[in-house]
Amino acid sequence: LVVPVRRKLRVRTVFNIMGPLINPAGAARGVIGVYDKKYSRVMAETLKLLGAKHIIVVNTEGVDEFTTTGKANVVELKNGQISEWEFDAQDIGIPRCNVEDLKGGDAKVNSAILTSILKGEKP
């Protein structure tokens, strides 16, 4: 019900933040992306109050996931403590790219890309 409305709005809403907080699975561990890093710490603190054990909240320059487009801001809840750090894929030998480099295509193209990657080939 919410997803079609969010797509039509084409703007971020409170539902982008609420989703992980109201997940009925109640996962104690996970990686959660936020679209704005200003929400990272409050997300980790809230999940701690909800009983999470180990959570990584990530934002990479406005993208709600780890990417190779820049440095990721990470807020980590572990052993009841919250810490903040950066992750840069370049530090482990993965070159920087732009968002256009990450775009796939339709389901058939994306399937071929994923199959190639899983075989250890370059897509």
Side-chain angles (χ1 to χ4, degrees), residues 95-110:
R96 184 86 70 232
C97 72
N98 62 50
V99 173
E100 287 299 316
D101 296 329
L102 300 176
K103 290 188 177 176
D106 61 18
K108 188 174 182 176
V109 169
N110 292 344

Side-chain angles (χ1 to χ4, degrees), residues 38-59:
K38 71 182 178 185
Y39 299 115
S40 298
R41 182 164 283 277
V42 72
M43 178 70 78
E45 290 170 350
T46 304
L47 288 164
K48 178 181 177 181
L49 292 172
L50 292 172
K53 303 297 180 203
H54 190 184
I55 297 290
I56 291 177
V57 183
V58 64
N59 174 278

Side-chain angles (χ1 to χ4, degrees), residues 107-123:
K108 188 174 182 176
V109 169
N110 292 344
S111 174
I113 292 170
L114 180 58
T115 300
S116 175
I117 291 169
L118 293 174
K119 287 181 177 179
E121 305 166 349
K122 289 188 177 186

Side-chain angles (χ1 to χ4, degrees), residues 1-104:
L1 179 65
V2 173
V3 175
V5 174
R6 283 179 36 208
R7 283 192 183 132
K8 284 184 180 182
L9 288 174
R10 298 185 149 249
V11 295
R12 310 271 190 203
T13 68
V14 69
F15 294 107
N16 296 91
I17 300 297
M18 282 180 28
L21 300 176
I22 60 174
N23 183 341
R29 292 165 181 78
V31 178
I32 297 169
V34 292
Y35 67 88
D36 189 322
K37 74 178 188 176
K38 71 182 178 185
Y39 299 115
S40 298
R41 182 164 283 277
V42 72
M43 178 70 78
E45 290 170 350
T46 304
L47 288 164
K48 178 181 177 181
L49 292 172
L50 292 172
K53 303 297 180 203
H54 190 184
I55 297 290
I56 291 177
V57 183
V58 64
N59 174 278
T60 305
E61 299 180 354
V63 179
D64 62 352
E65 55 193 75
F66 283 104
T67 76
T68 55
T69 59
K71 291 182 179 181
N73 172 266
V74 180
V75 175
E76 182 176 19
L77 164 64
K78 186 175 182 182
N79 299 322
Q81 301 297 313
I82 296 176
S83 60
E84 189 168 344
W85 44 278
E86 286 186 336
F87 173 79
D88 191 339
Q90 287 183 318
D91 293 341
I92 60 170
I94 300 173
R96 184 86 70 232
C97 72
N98 62 50
V99 173
E100 287 299 316
D101 296 329
L102 300 176
K103 290 188 177 176

